[in-house]
Amino acid sequence: MFIEQIKKKNFNSILYLPILLGFFGLMIVNYFSTQDVNTEDLMHQMKIQFGENLMFVILVGPLSLMCLGLLFWVKFIHNQSITSLTTSRKEIDWGRILFSFSLWGTITAIMTLAVYFAEPEDFVVNFDTSKFFVFLILAIILVPLQTSFEEYFFRGYLMQFLGVLSNTRLIPFVVSSVLFGLMHIANPEVGKLGHVILIYYIGTGFFLGILTLMDEGLELALGFHAANNLVTALLVTADWTAFQTPSVLKDISEPSAGLDVIIPVFVIFPILLFVFAKKYNWNNWQERLFGKLIKEEVINTNEA
């Protein structure tokens, strides 16, 4: 029903094109403009010039503003409610967002601390009171907006658009997941670790797509994504990551793409899906992920 409900919202495919073409155009320009640039050196220069907190605002701020812009476009150009972009439920389920955020935030914190205590020589304590608490406020405001934009754009706006056009769930599921992963191709992590890291980014896209389609809404994906970026940004940073932050710890080890790329996608994410499936009683996986959309007359009959 998450995709199907858009059939009843005076669906106009033309209205989607400015947002979709504009964003993907920016991504393409960003990718090619960074091909001859050492992004690690660029990030280092920005950190020296602006400081970590202002640099964080410069990097995260645009996507945060895009979130507000996308919601405005949906509300006033599409005349579609934010609720219908978020969920098939009558109201946004904040309990789902909080549960997903708390679960993944706790797991992320535990795994980060476990790595720190197992290999303390790979970290230095980076905590600076004056910088950290300013950053904490900025992160609490900007990171949820940044992650929400990515969820609303890929799992909401793009998925609903492709779903109605194709009359399937499979096409929006696959396309949105792959494009979400490829969006990160210009990240400094790719330059440092190689394109193998895209397994993690694309795998995360598929995981978030499954959450959205099986749960008929974005709430679980919104909570997970916000926890992933916020908790990580607060706890640990490195000179080669997209987020250069005054976090508690700094990873000084030489990075390599190994099991830390594979384990989340093929071990941790399936376990999380099992937990969510049990808690929210998911069923009919094949139809929800790969089936055709429910016909509008069936929707109307079910709602009568």
Side-chain angles (χ1 to χ4, degrees), residues 218-282:
L218 293 176
E219 291 100 333
L220 297 179
L222 286 167
F224 174 91
H225 203 158
N228 185 73
N229 287 26
L230 181 59
V231 175
T232 302
L234 292 173
L235 287 183
V236 64
T237 189
D239 289 334
W240 45 272
T241 59
F243 281 179
Q244 303 277 314
T245 66
S247 58
V248 175
L249 300 171
K250 183 175 182 178
D251 186 347
I252 58 174
S253 66
E254 185 61 29
S256 61
L259 291 178
D260 51 343
V261 173
I262 303 299
I263 290 177
V265 175
F266 297 103
V267 178
I268 297 177
F269 290 169
I271 293 174
L272 287 175
L273 289 175
F274 177 80
V275 172
F276 287 129
K278 287 296 183 182
K279 180 173 178 61
Y280 296 111
N281 299 313
W282 292 349

Side-chain angles (χ1 to χ4, degrees), residues 59-244:
L59 293 176
V60 178
L63 287 181
S64 301
L65 292 175
M66 286 181 188
C67 180
L68 300 178
L70 177 60
L71 297 181
F72 176 88
W73 185 269
V74 169
K75 178 71 174 178
F76 295 103
I77 304 302
H78 287 276
N79 292 317
Q80 176 186 343
S81 69
I82 304 304
T83 299
S84 66
L85 182 67
T86 308
T87 185
S88 60
R89 287 166 274 275
K90 293 182 178 180
E91 295 180 351
I92 296 172
D93 190 337
W94 293 97
R96 275 173 154 84
I97 295 175
L98 182 60
F99 173 73
S100 183
F101 181 94
S102 301
L103 176 63
W104 187 240
T106 301
I107 292 173
T108 300
I110 291 173
M111 290 193 302
T112 300
L113 293 176
V115 172
Y116 170 68
F117 286 114
E119 300 175 326
E121 68 278 5
D122 288 342
F123 298 87
V124 294
V125 176
N126 192 51
F127 184 75
D128 182 324
T129 304
S130 60
K131 291 182 180 180
F132 179 82
F133 286 105
V134 172
F135 170 66
L136 176 63
I137 295 171
L138 292 173
I140 290 174
I141 295 171
L142 294 178
V143 170
L145 285 172
Q146 173 247 324
T147 57
S148 293
F149 168 74
E150 294 180 15
E151 291 310 308
Y152 275 120
F153 181 83
F154 285 99
R155 256 69 62 180
Y157 201 67
L158 179 61
M159 183 172 281
Q160 289 179 339
F161 170 70
L162 292 176
V164 173
L165 282 188
S166 66
N167 196 40
T168 69
R169 292 178 175 84
L170 176 61
I171 289 175
F173 174 41
V174 172
V175 172
S176 65
S177 301
V178 172
L179 289 179
F180 172 79
L182 293 179
M183 179 191 70
H184 297 83
I185 198 169
N187 281 16
E189 291 94 335
V190 177
K192 189 71 174 180
L193 300 176
H195 286 84
V196 67
I197 191 66
L198 290 177
I199 294 175
Y200 171 75
Y201 289 131
I202 294 175
T204 302
F206 276 101
F207 168 70
L208 294 168
I210 293 172
L211 289 185
T212 300
L213 291 174
M214 290 304 302
D215 202 52
E216 298 288 3
L218 293 176
E219 291 100 333
L220 297 179
L222 286 167
F224 174 91
H225 203 158
N228 185 73
N229 287 26
L230 181 59
V231 175
T232 302
L234 292 173
L235 287 183
V236 64
T237 189
D239 289 334
W240 45 272
T241 59
F243 281 179
Q244 303 277 314

